[in-house]
Amino acid sequence: MTKVFNFCAGPAMLPIPVMAKAQQEMVNWQNTGCSVMELSHRSNEFVAVAKQAEADLRELMAIPDNYKVLFCHGGGRGQFSAVPLNLLAQGKSADYIVSGSWSKAAASEAKNFGDVNVIDVVTNTEQGKGVQPSSQWRLTKDAAYIHYCPNETVDGIEIFEVPETKGVPLVADMSSMILSQEIDVSKFGVIYAGAQKNIGPSGLAIVIVRDDLLNQAISTTPSIMNYTLIANNGSMYNTPPTYAWYLAGLVFEWLKELGGVKKIAQVNQEKSVLLYKAIDQSDFYTNNIAEQNRSLMNVPFWLVNEELNSEFLAQAEAAGLTALKGHRSVGGMRASIYNAMPLAGVQALVDFMKKFAQEVN
Ligand SMILES: *Cc1c(COP(=O)(O)O)cnc(C)c1O
């Protein structure tokens, strides 16, 4: 088997044992004679898969009983619409914290549905681009909710503190950091994540919503985006993305066997320290994010001599290190090092970076 280390930001690499199991079960799932893809979502067999996936996610994230877990269509951006449709009641406004391109996009989508107060929290400090501490955010007192993005996938900016909102429901787009570190779910009103970064294949979004936030959707909300309707139907109001749900379940099982979120968080810490150190200790590569906001999952970096970009990418590719090209809006390189990326992958990248710098210098 030839295998590369895939640093794609999303859809991202999946754990090899997960894909091996999916492959083994593909044609004849648990002796049903069918693929799990071919089973009715209402069959006992699929319902068991679906329930187990939810139970495992609840265990991994220690989700309290007063939260519903929804398996939805439409990815992360689907939730950019679903959140205001479900939570932004008439006559209210919502605060949108902007710390990078995804939170900006979420704010601009929400404007289609109601009053939005955009709060830009990016600052330039001596150590680089960072985010103001949440105590300095100019929040609106009676906002319907506060939306933010803990990890900006494109910009490589992470907010590690959970903002204090004085009782206003906190909504977080955790698409690129869910399950990467322990979080206290009880501090959030809604958590959502597109699956294709840290959970499974694309096409699925996970929504974790506190019970008291249900039953407020505006009347024109499409049924398949209505949290209450989805919750009341066990995420099977319409046919859910069954195969993605099944694969997400395999990823949860893999993570549990590995020792859970606490354990993977240590590995993630180790991986990111290794990579940032390699960048900081060279005068060949740079990263412009202030240390306290450096993402553990998405590490952008630039070659000081940008003329070498395409040579770097070509040689990396030849060395089995793929998808390192930075997002078109920021340029340079980006290494996405989600849960499925082993430490050995980051080590291989760091070794390659050192060798490349030496050889072209
Ligand atoms: C990838 C991503 C999205 C968009 O997800 P889609 O499934 O493509 O809609 C939204 N927010 C964040 C933080 C992301 O990383």
Side-chain angles (χ1 to χ4, degrees):
M1 186 170 71
T2 55
K3 191 64 193 153
V4 300
F5 290 116
N6 171 7
F7 293 90
C8 187
M13 68 175 289
L14 286 164
I16 291 171
V18 164
M19 286 185 291
K21 185 159 187 202
Q23 181 183 41
Q24 185 204 337
E25 297 183 337
M26 170 72 87
V27 179
N28 182 7
W29 180 75
Q30 294 194 355
N31 285 324
T32 55
C34 299
S35 168
V36 72
M37 259 185 272
E38 302 171 304
L39 294 174
S40 162
H41 53 298
R42 304 196 192 282
S43 64
N44 290 337
E45 290 95 339
F46 186 78
V47 169
V49 169
K51 286 210 165 123
Q52 189 61 48
E54 179 180 337
D56 286 344
L57 182 64
R58 283 185 176 275
E59 185 184 329
L60 284 165
M61 292 181 71
I63 300 172
D65 289 343
N66 62 325
Y67 286 77
K68 298 285 186 286
V69 176
L70 313 178
F71 290 76
C72 303
H73 296 275
R77 274 190 192 268
Q79 295 306 313
F80 289 1
S81 322
V83 165
L85 285 163
N86 281 278
L87 302 184
L88 191 45
Q90 288 268 310
K92 285 256 192 177
S93 71
D95 282 352
Y96 272 75
I97 306 302
V98 171
S99 55
S101 61
W102 282 117
S103 49
K104 193 171 168 198
S108 101
E109 178 70 9
K111 283 178 190 164
N112 293 326
F113 304 103
D115 274 346
V116 165
N117 178 31
V118 174
I119 304 168
D120 188 343
V121 298
V122 177
T123 71
N124 284 309
T125 69
E126 263 169 40
Q127 315 130 45
K129 210 159 122 179
V131 172
Q132 292 166 1
S134 69
S135 56
Q136 290 173 20
W137 299 355
R138 294 161 173 271
L139 301 174
T140 312
K141 233 204 205 126
D142 53 357
Y145 60 89
I146 296 163
H147 178 282
Y148 84 120
C149 180
N151 185 60
E152 285 286 1
T153 322
V154 171
D155 310 79
I157 293 180
E158 187 155 355
I159 299 172
F160 292 98
E161 62 168 330
V162 177
E164 173 49 58
T165 66
K166 304 209 168 73
V168 177
L170 184 61
V171 178
D173 174 2
M174 295 198 182
S175 295
S176 54
M177 56 70 78
I178 194 166
L179 295 170
S180 68
Q181 60 196 261
E182 290 183 294
I183 55 147
D184 179 353
V185 174
S186 73
K187 293 189 169 154
F188 296 85
V190 176
I191 291 169
Y192 66 88
Q196 68 272 30
K197 282 127 191 179
N198 239 351
I199 293 176
S202 55
L204 173 73
I206 302 275
V207 178
I208 302 166
V209 52
R210 208 173 59 213
D211 288 343
D212 62 288
L213 298 172
L214 296 172
N215 296 305
Q216 313 177 16
I218 62 173
S219 60
T220 51
T221 303
S223 299
I224 66 160
M225 286 195 166
N226 185 314
Y227 292 162
T228 312
L229 199 64
I230 299 168
N232 289 343
N233 287 278
S235 300
M236 296 196 188
Y237 174 73
N238 72 327
T239 314
T242 53
Y243 196 72
W245 192 333
Y246 153 81
L247 256 178
L250 293 187
V251 172
F252 300 153
E253 200 179 280
W254 166 81
L255 191 48
K256 271 177 57 177
E257 273 166 23
L258 225 74
V261 176
K262 193 173 191 166
K263 192 67 203 292
I264 203 85
Q266 289 166 2
V267 182
N268 288 335
Q269 194 71 36
E270 221 179 319
K271 278 153 42 186
S272 67
V273 167
L274 182 63
L275 184 48
Y276 284 114
K277 219 167 161 186
I279 296 165
D280 290 343
Q281 287 178 350
S282 95
D283 43 23
F284 194 84
Y285 304 103
T286 61
N287 165 284
N288 65 354
I289 309 299
E291 202 175 327
Q292 72 273 13
N293 292 115
R294 281 178 160 185
S295 169
L296 299 182
M297 295 282 102
N298 309 97
V299 181
F301 61 93
W302 290 264
L303 274 62
V304 172
N305 179 358
E306 299 231 313
E307 279 169 21
L308 293 169
N309 280 359
S310 48
E311 186 58 29
F312 179 92
L313 286 167
Q315 286 196 26
E317 185 93 27
L321 306 166
T322 66
L324 283 163
K325 191 171 186 185
H327 191 270
R328 58 193 179 278
S329 65
V330 292
M333 311 298 153
R334 171 175 51 172
S336 294
I337 51 175
Y338 301 116
N339 285 353
M341 176 62 69
L343 182 61
V346 178
Q347 187 62 58
L349 173 60
V350 165
D351 292 345
F352 169 79
M353 287 166 69
K354 284 191 183 142
K355 188 162 152 278
F356 184 82
Q358 272 164 12
E359 282 175 6
V360 300
N361 259 347

